């Protein structure tokens, strides 16, 4: 028996950052130039909050689609149905009080080497070279210390992400009792 579940990735709520790709050539170069593309200001948190409010009220929503290969964000691209369980993944879900909108908050903790390996793999899926991924790495680590890791102490559940190698849906399916 499956769980009625929908999924929202906060990556789709980035502001359109294509102007930085045009100006600096790529995401890594923009970070190196001092553009903060990893903090709360890089996301449309108002739109994310509205989407969370609407879906929690049983409304089907249509979320943006972010193309992290070129920084273009197109509004109202992906329909998401309301469901008993709505998984919201991403760093932006913990900012500006958005974490108060959730019944359960989960922090997936990883050791540094696993985070780096997964970052490089994820970057490759976004048409970024290993060199560009590694160029971004130091900025992402600094941002994590400032914007992500402090939330670890505030969540309901901390998962050892080194243990769970499968995708998020599989990981949470193993945790059905939490959502019952």
């Amino acid at each position: 028996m499956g769980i009625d579940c929908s999924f929202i990735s906060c990556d789709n709520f980035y502001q359109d950052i294509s102007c930085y790709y045009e100006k600096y050539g790529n995401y890594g170069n923009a970070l190196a130039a001092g553009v903060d593309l990893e903090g709360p200001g890089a996301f449309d948190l108002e739109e994310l909050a509205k989407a969370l409010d609407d879906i929690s009220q049983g409304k089907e929503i249509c979320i943006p689609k972010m193309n992290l290969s070129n920084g273009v964000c197109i509004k109202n691209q992906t329909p998401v149905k309301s469901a008993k369980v709505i998984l919201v993944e991403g760093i932006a879900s913990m900012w500006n009080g958005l974490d108060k909108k959730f019944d359960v908050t989960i922090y997936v903790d990883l050791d540094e080497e696993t985070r780096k390996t997964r970052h490089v793999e994820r970057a490759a899926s976004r048409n970024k070279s290993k060199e560009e991924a590694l160029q971004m790495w130091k900025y992402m680590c600094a941002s994590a210390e400032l914007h992500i890791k402090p939330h670890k102490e505030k969540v309901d559940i901390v998962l050892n992400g080194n243990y769970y190698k499968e995708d998020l849906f599989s990981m949470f399916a193993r945790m059905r009792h939490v959502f019952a």
Side-chain angles (χ1 to χ4, degrees):
M1 181 167 141
I3 300 173
D4 183 25
C5 184
S6 288
F7 179 76
I8 297 174
S9 172
C10 291
D11 281 356
N12 287 309
F13 289 88
Y14 263 100
Q15 304 278 358
D16 186 302
I17 56 174
S18 58
C19 62
Y20 298 115
Y21 281 70
E22 291 170 17
K23 183 173 182 176
Y24 298 105
N26 62 43
Y27 192 94
N29 290 341
L31 289 173
V35 179
D36 182 7
L37 299 176
E38 295 294 320
F43 291 83
D44 189 341
L45 298 177
E46 288 181 18
E47 184 171 356
L48 177 56
K50 181 175 179 350
L52 295 174
D53 288 342
D54 287 349
I55 202 166
S56 70
Q57 294 171 12
K59 299 176 184 174
E60 183 171 308
I61 60 173
C62 203
I63 65 171
K65 179 66 178 161
M66 180 62 173
N67 182 334
L68 289 169
S69 294
N70 61 17
V72 172
C73 185
I74 303 172
K75 304 293 185 189
N76 302 312
Q77 287 296 298
T78 307
V80 181
K81 67 179 181 69
S82 185
K84 179 176 178 162
V85 174
I86 302 163
L87 299 176
V88 181
E89 173 276 331
I91 58 177
S93 66
M94 303 304 287
W95 295 331
N96 292 19
L98 290 175
D99 55 325
K100 305 292 184 248
K101 296 182 179 292
F102 305 113
D103 296 324
V104 178
T105 55
I106 300 170
Y107 183 99
V108 180
D109 199 16
L110 297 168
D111 66 60
E112 207 67 20
E113 193 56 38
T114 303
R115 279 182 57 225
K116 188 175 186 179
T117 299
R118 289 186 183 178
H119 166 70
V120 170
E121 290 170 356
R122 195 170 181 191
S125 75
R126 295 173 173 166
N127 299 320
K128 297 190 182 339
S129 69
K130 182 176 182 179
E131 293 73 28
E132 186 177 356
L134 294 174
Q135 175 190 19
M136 294 185 303
W137 180 245
K138 69 178 181 176
Y139 300 101
M140 296 182 86
C141 288
S143 182
E145 289 297 324
L146 183 63
H147 298 297
I148 302 169
K149 289 184 179 181
H151 293 284
K152 181 179 176 181
E153 306 305 318
K154 301 175 187 175
V155 300
D156 299 307
I157 300 168
V158 176
L159 288 179
N160 179 348
N162 299 310
Y163 174 75
Y164 292 100
K165 301 296 184 196
E166 64 265 44
D167 63 81
L168 281 175
F169 281 118
S170 300
M171 180 171 65
F172 288 109
R174 291 175 177 255
M175 301 173 50
R176 283 190 179 127
H177 64 282
V178 173
F179 304 111

